[in-house]
Amino acid sequence: MHKLTTRRLHILFGATLVIALVIALQFFQLMVIEHTPTAGSSGPAQRVERGPILDRHGNILALQTRLDTVTAWAPGIRTPAQTARTLAEILDLDEELLLQRFQHEPGFLFVKRTITPTQSRQIRELQESGQLEGIHLQEDFGRSYPEGPLAAHVLGYVGIDNQGLDGIEYRFDSQLSAPSGSQQGDAFGNQIILTIDSRIQAFTDQLARDVREEREADAVLLLVMDAYTGEILAYTASPGYDPNQFAGFTSEQRRNLPISYLYEPGSVFKIFSMAAFLHLGVVDQNEFFDAGSAYERRSNGETLFRISDLGSYGRLRPADIIRLSSNVGAAYASDRVSNEQLYHMMRQFGFGEHTGIDLNGEQRGILRPPESWSARTKPTISIGQEVAVSAMQLLTAGTVFANDGVLLKPQIVRRIVSPEGKTLQSFEREPVRQVLSPGAANSMLEMMVGATRDSGTAWRARVDGIDIAAKTGTAQMLDPTTGGYSDTAFIPSTLAIFPAHAPRIIAYTALINPQGGEHLGGRIAAPIIRELAEFLVPYLGIPRADEQIYREAAGVRIEQQHLPDLTDTVPDFRGLARRTLMPLYENPDIEVVIRGSGWVARQTPAPGTPLSTDTRIILELE
């Protein structure tokens, strides 16, 4: 019996020893063999690549790159202090923290993900000279933004796991990411084609930087939109940041101001309130309003509040109220509508709601319901106070004037394209609703043109040979210490549409808290529009009034027009009127964009180009 027990104990001991050896071998396999990087490691067999982001012309703004990741095998580091000091200098890391990791984290650890090629070269040179024992470079995938800060607030950035954290990278993360679950072959994400034009974006970025430095402003916003399609051509907020090194910037520095920063718009808002009064029929273009003295609201012989102008303007028609930016005139005009009517019309323009642009972090703005209004709310909203908007809301509301009263949704993405080049989704011109009658919209455009005449507040936005419709504004910022309006902090701005009689461009600019004495929108914001227009007019081929343009040169035909048949090639649409082109929208097999009004002056692609399901036909009318 005793011998049997002893034998069982020996068997149990032997089995336990075998199990322990197996566990030890597995641990060695996992922690030493598999986790110890070698110079000859080839990386993963499958290539998984995030899709690129491109501008409207195919210029690459974001792409996947193969970069090195620095790893360490702690037991192999013979000189931890020297190694930490060297790597901290090359990789811009905290030396003491890195040394603590080497000393207290056993086994394998990541030192830094996706370093630059220059950093990789420096580490390899040291390794070749026998230094940095225990430190290894492993090939990894990283995200690169070749144009640096260009359109950074649109692009956003990704984290170390290549997951989108902001901007287009976040909003379209599922489209850009390679499909999961594939076991064989390489996997690629879709391409995102933006509406952004890199050349226009580069110009607006530089212009905003120059203005911010000259005016010592906290920030400068400058947005450019295609007036007919609602496509954003440039999206600038200065100061910006470099998405290649986003972690080196604070969340406030990375904040997407055009959609998240809310402020009172000031007198720019008068074009929306006055247009609403015209549309409702409560104001006639030929009647006069007395702006010779302040607008007052009195009760029981006491003045409740006053609204005044910079000067005494006398009797003003609605066009004069816009041209001179009269607070008094706009306040008196607001007496013609009810609180509910004004609130409804401002909501129709999109204030107090999201524009729907495909970027994260957009704010609704503030437009309180009528039941919470005071006696002064209606006239003050009419002049751009007691309402908070974003720059994107103002730009988008401008589409109403450029499209016969129709509000458009702003577009930042044109197409989503598969890795094989097939268009998966196109983002077309998207009307939201009819806000104004065409007559009211066109009347306001004419009034805004008047503001750029010699006596108007926007005359500094004027460009020779181009009718520019513009409205300036100067809003007082709130003083956080007093809760009232500041006497020193302002937001000057200008909204512009041009050419006024065949709108191609809507632009909006605002300076946040400029210094140096000047703070009026007409003085420091309107000149930004002029400089922008001087660049855009030749770049986009917008004709000036003093240039001889013959309809014969554009191929305009006066005889009865018929829409050409769509065959294997792109037809010649030049000279056709807009009404003749309308049936093209009913054809589900082609993608057509029609810009402007009048007759087709230019088309892309050229006549005779092979026609396929991916062909996008752009017709520009004059």
Side-chain angles (χ1 to χ4, degrees):
M1 184 68 179
H2 177 71
K3 291 181 179 180
L4 181 60
T5 302
T6 302
R7 185 180 300 174
R8 288 177 177 175
L9 288 175
H10 287 167
I11 293 173
L12 179 61
F13 176 77
T16 303
L17 181 61
V18 170
I19 294 173
L21 287 173
V22 170
I23 293 173
L25 286 172
Q26 289 180 335
F27 180 80
F28 182 80
Q29 172 77 16
L30 290 171
M31 296 304 297
V32 179
I33 297 177
E34 294 184 6
H35 277 93
T36 303
T38 63
S41 61
S42 60
Q46 185 189 36
R47 186 168 130 200
V48 179
E49 187 167 315
R50 189 175 178 86
I53 303 175
L54 304 93
D55 84 337
R56 67 190 299 116
H57 300 302
N59 299 307
I60 297 176
L61 301 179
L63 76 159
Q64 192 87 331
T65 57
R66 293 191 175 192
L67 300 173
D68 287 326
T69 283
V70 183
T71 64
W73 177 245
I77 302 176
R78 297 186 180 181
T79 56
Q82 179 59 44
T83 300
R85 185 178 307 113
T86 302
L87 287 180
E89 182 177 347
I90 295 174
L91 302 176
D92 192 25
L93 298 175
D94 184 283
E95 179 183 341
E96 292 186 7
L97 181 59
L98 189 56
L99 179 57
Q100 290 177 13
R101 295 186 65 199
F102 289 161
Q103 293 174 333
H104 300 293
E105 294 185 26
F108 174 87
L109 64 141
F110 284 105
V111 176
K112 188 171 184 179
R113 302 289 295 266
T114 57
I115 64 175
T116 67
T118 299
Q119 292 169 329
S120 293
R121 187 183 67 252
Q122 291 174 318
I123 291 175
R124 284 196 177 91
E125 289 174 352
L126 291 171
Q127 289 174 326
E128 290 171 0
S129 66
Q131 302 180 58
L132 298 181
E133 290 180 294
I135 301 301
H136 305 275
L137 294 176
Q138 289 185 326
E139 189 178 72
D140 201 352
F141 289 110
R143 198 64 163 166
S144 176
Y145 303 90
E147 301 298 331
L150 187 85
H153 292 98
V154 173
L155 298 173
Y157 47 86
V158 301
I160 60 173
D161 56 356
N162 242 7
Q163 183 177 11
L165 299 179
D166 199 14
I168 293 295
E169 296 277 28
Y170 172 81
R171 178 67 179 79
F172 290 86
D173 184 66
S174 61
Q175 293 284 354
L176 290 163
S177 299
S180 60
S182 176
Q183 299 298 320
Q184 296 181 349
D186 297 336
F188 302 91
N190 297 320
Q191 306 171 55
I192 301 294
I193 314 296
L194 301 180
T195 63
I196 294 293
D197 184 309
S198 290
R199 285 193 61 187
I200 300 177
Q201 182 72 44
F203 180 86
T204 58
D205 282 359
Q206 186 61 55
L207 179 57
R209 283 194 296 269
D210 293 343
V211 170
R212 186 170 63 87
E213 181 178 349
E214 177 187 357
R215 298 296 179 182
E216 300 178 29
D218 291 348
V220 175
L221 310 181
L222 182 52
L223 306 176
V224 182
M225 173 187 276
D226 182 302
Y228 183 73
T229 65
E231 294 180 336
I232 304 298
L233 303 178
Y235 187 104
T236 291
S238 179
Y241 71 96
D242 187 345
N244 291 298
Q245 303 171 5
F246 73 91
F249 297 83
T250 66
S251 58
E252 186 60 28
Q253 289 172 320
R254 299 193 302 263
R255 183 181 175 188
N256 197 334
L257 295 178
I259 59 174
S260 68
Y261 181 73
L262 301 179
Y263 55 98
E264 289 189 348
S267 291
V268 166
F269 211 69
K270 289 171 186 166
I271 59 177
F272 306 110
S273 58
M274 292 299 297
F277 304 154
L278 291 171
H279 170 76
L280 293 171
V282 298
V283 167
D284 185 270
Q285 294 187 62
N286 295 314
E287 67 177 306
F288 288 92
F289 293 88
D290 186 3
S293 58
Y295 173 95
E296 289 188 345
R297 183 68 61 83
R298 300 176 64 85
S299 177
N300 298 324
E302 295 185 2
T303 300
L304 299 178
F305 64 91
R306 302 174 78 249
I307 295 175
S308 59
D309 284 326
L310 294 176
S312 177
Y313 297 137
R315 286 162 53 81
L316 302 178
R317 290 189 175 93
D320 300 319
I321 293 174
I322 298 300
R323 176 174 58 86
L324 299 173
S325 195
S326 171
N327 293 332
V328 175
Y332 276 119
S334 73
D335 287 342
R336 304 287 183 84
V337 297
S338 67
N339 292 353
E340 289 73 19
Q341 284 177 309
L342 180 59
Y343 174 79
H344 170 74
M345 288 303 300
M346 294 307 99
R347 287 300 299 265
Q348 288 292 97
F349 275 108
F351 299 114
E353 64 182 37
H354 295 131
T355 66
I357 190 170
D358 280 319
L359 292 172
N360 60 299
E362 183 181 17
Q363 299 296 309
R364 291 178 177 273
I366 300 173
L367 180 63
R368 294 180 291 113
E371 54 266 25
S372 65
W373 290 10
S374 69
R376 64 175 297 152
T377 300
K378 184 174 60 174
T380 55
I381 283 181
S382 299
I383 64 173
Q385 296 178 353
E386 290 197 46
V387 57
V389 305
S390 69
M392 181 55 63
Q393 285 180 322
L394 284 170
L395 182 79
T396 302
T399 62
V400 172
F401 304 124
N403 291 274
D404 293 328
V406 175
L407 177 72
L408 302 183
K409 176 185 175 181
Q411 305 286 2
I412 196 69
V413 173
R414 298 189 88 186
R415 287 184 296 155
I416 301 175
V417 179
S418 73
E420 297 75 29
K422 180 182 179 181
T423 297
L424 303 176
Q425 185 176 358
S426 293
F427 296 81
E428 307 295 340
R429 178 180 189 266
E430 188 173 335
V432 178
R433 55 181 167 266
Q434 185 85 36
V435 178
L436 300 175
S437 66
N442 292 324
S443 293
M444 183 49 62
L445 271 182
E446 291 294 337
M447 294 181 190
M448 292 169 67
V449 171
T452 64
R453 304 304 186 201
D454 289 340
S455 59
T457 61
W459 69 268
R460 291 177 178 84
R462 190 170 58 210
V463 172
D464 291 341
I466 299 290
D467 278 337
I468 292 186
K471 182 68 189 79
T472 62
T474 306
Q476 288 178 277
M477 298 178 68
L478 292 177
D479 186 334
T481 59
T482 65
Y485 288 112
S486 171
D487 293 327
T488 58
F490 300 88
I491 300 180
S493 62
T494 299
L495 177 71
I497 301 171
F498 59 91
H501 299 102
R504 292 276 302 278
I505 293 295
I506 305 173
Y508 177 74
T509 187
L511 295 81
I512 300 174
N513 192 26
Q515 304 298 307
E518 291 286 3
H519 64 270
L520 296 177
R523 288 185 175 273
I524 63 176
I528 299 174
I529 296 296
R530 182 187 64 239
E531 194 165 347
L532 173 67
E534 291 286 10
F535 168 79
L536 290 176
V537 165
Y539 177 69
L540 297 176
I542 299 175
R544 298 177 187 259
D546 53 358
E547 295 174 347
Q548 293 295 324
I549 298 182
Y550 297 95
R551 283 187 175 176
E552 291 80 5
V556 174
R557 300 183 290 274
I558 306 302
E559 66 270 14
Q560 183 67 36
Q561 296 183 339
H562 300 282
L563 189 67
D565 294 331
L566 292 173
T567 57
D568 295 334
T569 60
V570 176
D572 188 350
F573 293 103
R574 291 173 298 178
L576 296 182
R578 171 183 280 276
R579 63 178 178 273
T580 305
L581 303 170
M582 288 301 101
L584 289 174
Y585 283 127
E586 301 173 4
N587 190 328
D589 298 327
I590 61 169
E591 179 183 359
V592 178
V593 174
I594 302 175
R595 300 173 177 169
S597 58
W599 294 265
V600 178
R602 291 174 297 278
Q603 72 174 74
T604 304
T609 301
L611 186 63
S612 67
T613 55
D614 290 336
T615 302
R616 189 172 196 254
I617 301 174
I618 300 176
L619 306 176
E620 299 186 24
L621 282 60
E622 294 180 358

PDB file of all heavy atoms in Angstrom, residues 100 285 370:
ATOM      1  N   GLN A 100      12.132  55.558 -16.687  1.00  0.00           N
ATOM      2  CA  GLN A 100      11.293  54.808 -15.749  1.00  0.00           C
ATOM      3  C   GLN A 100      10.621  53.631 -16.436  1.00  0.00           C
ATOM      4  O   GLN A 100      10.500  52.543 -15.858  1.00  0.00           O
ATOM      5  CB  GLN A 100      10.247  55.738 -15.128  1.00  0.00           C
ATOM      6  CG  GLN A 100      10.819  56.768 -14.162  1.00  0.00           C
ATOM      7  CD  GLN A 100       9.739  57.695 -13.631  1.00  0.00           C
ATOM      8  OE1 GLN A 100       8.547  57.441 -13.794  1.00  0.00           O
ATOM      9  NE2 GLN A 100      10.154  58.779 -12.998  1.00  0.00           N
ATOM     10  N   GLN A 285     -40.240  98.686 -51.591  1.00  0.00           N
ATOM     11  CA  GLN A 285     -38.914  99.217 -51.921  1.00  0.00           C
ATOM     12  C   GLN A 285     -38.890 100.726 -52.066  1.00  0.00           C
ATOM     13  O   GLN A 285     -37.834 101.347 -51.919  1.00  0.00           O
ATOM     14  CB  GLN A 285     -38.405  98.582 -53.227  1.00  0.00           C
ATOM     15  CG  GLN A 285     -38.140  97.097 -53.126  1.00  0.00           C
ATOM     16  CD  GLN A 285     -37.486  96.562 -54.380  1.00  0.00           C
ATOM     17  OE1 GLN A 285     -36.383  96.971 -54.741  1.00  0.00           O
ATOM     18  NE2 GLN A 285     -38.166  95.661 -55.066  1.00  0.00           N
ATOM     19  N   PRO A 370     -40.111  83.087 -29.780  1.00  0.00           N
ATOM     20  CA  PRO A 370     -40.745  84.387 -29.512  1.00  0.00           C
ATOM     21  C   PRO A 370     -41.284  84.547 -28.097  1.00  0.00           C
ATOM     22  O   PRO A 370     -41.306  85.668 -27.568  1.00  0.00           O
ATOM     23  CB  PRO A 370     -41.875  84.447 -30.547  1.00  0.00           C
ATOM     24  CG  PRO A 370     -41.440  83.549 -31.641  1.00  0.00           C
ATOM     25  CD  PRO A 370     -40.666  82.445 -30.977  1.00  0.00           C
TER      26      PRO A 370
END
